[in-house]
Amino acid sequence: MGKRKALLFPQTAKKLQIVGEQIKLARLRRHLTAEDVAEKARVGRTTVVQIEKGSPSVSMGMYLAVLNALGLQDDILLLAKDDELGRTIQDLDLKTPRRVKKHE
C-alpha cells in the first residue's frame, strides 16, 4: 500500500512553502549546509531539502527535528497561540450565572 498524500488547498500549500523557505533562510543565515542540518537532526539530506520546499508529505516530527537542529524548536509553540476564533466561540458559549431571587 502506498503512502497517502496530504490534500491541501492551494493557499494552505503556499503557507507550507513559505515555512519551508523560512527554514531554509534560517539554515543559510547560520552558514550551514543541508547536509550539516541533516546530520544534526538525524534525518536524510533529502528530507531537509523536502522540508525547505514545504513538502506536505514530510512528517511534523521531521520538521521539528530540523527546527531543533537550527535552535528554533520553541518557534513551534507559536502555532495557534492566539486562537481568536476559538476564544470568541468559547466566550459565546459561556453562560452568565443566574441570580437567585431573595425571599423577603
Side-chain angles (χ1 to χ4, degrees), residues 8 20-27 35 37 41 43-47 55-56 61 64 68-69 90 101-102:
L8 300 178
E21 290 169 2
Q22 291 171 336
I23 290 171
K24 182 176 183 175
L25 287 172
R27 173 179 64 78
E35 206 166 280
V37 173
V43 300
R45 189 188 67 76
T46 306
T47 300
S55 173
L64 285 169
N68 188 54
Q90 182 182 28
K101 293 181 183 178
K102 290 184 180 179

Side-chain angles (χ1 to χ4, degrees), residues 2-19:
K3 282 187 176 181
R4 287 179 24 177
K5 187 175 179 182
L7 179 61
L8 300 178
F9 290 109
Q11 60 268 45
T12 306
K14 179 65 179 166
K15 288 176 184 174
L16 195 53
Q17 182 182 1
I18 291 168
V19 168

Side-chain angles (χ1 to χ4, degrees), residues 14-63:
K14 179 65 179 166
K15 288 176 184 174
L16 195 53
Q17 182 182 1
I18 291 168
V19 168
E21 290 169 2
Q22 291 171 336
I23 290 171
K24 182 176 183 175
L25 287 172
R27 173 179 64 78
L28 293 173
R29 284 187 206 106
R30 287 160 177 74
H31 304 289
L32 297 171
T33 65
E35 206 166 280
D36 294 334
V37 173
E39 189 176 312
K40 285 183 177 185
R42 296 184 177 197
V43 300
R45 189 188 67 76
T46 306
T47 300
V48 173
V49 171
Q50 289 299 308
I51 287 170
E52 291 179 353
K53 289 180 180 179
S55 173
S57 63
V58 179
S59 76
M60 188 71 149
M62 296 293 183
Y63 274 86

Side-chain angles (χ1 to χ4, degrees), residues 67-82:
L67 287 172
N68 188 54
L70 295 170
L72 298 171
Q73 62 275 8
D74 290 340
D75 284 10
I76 198 72
L77 299 175
L78 300 174
L79 293 175
K81 182 179 177 187
D82 293 327

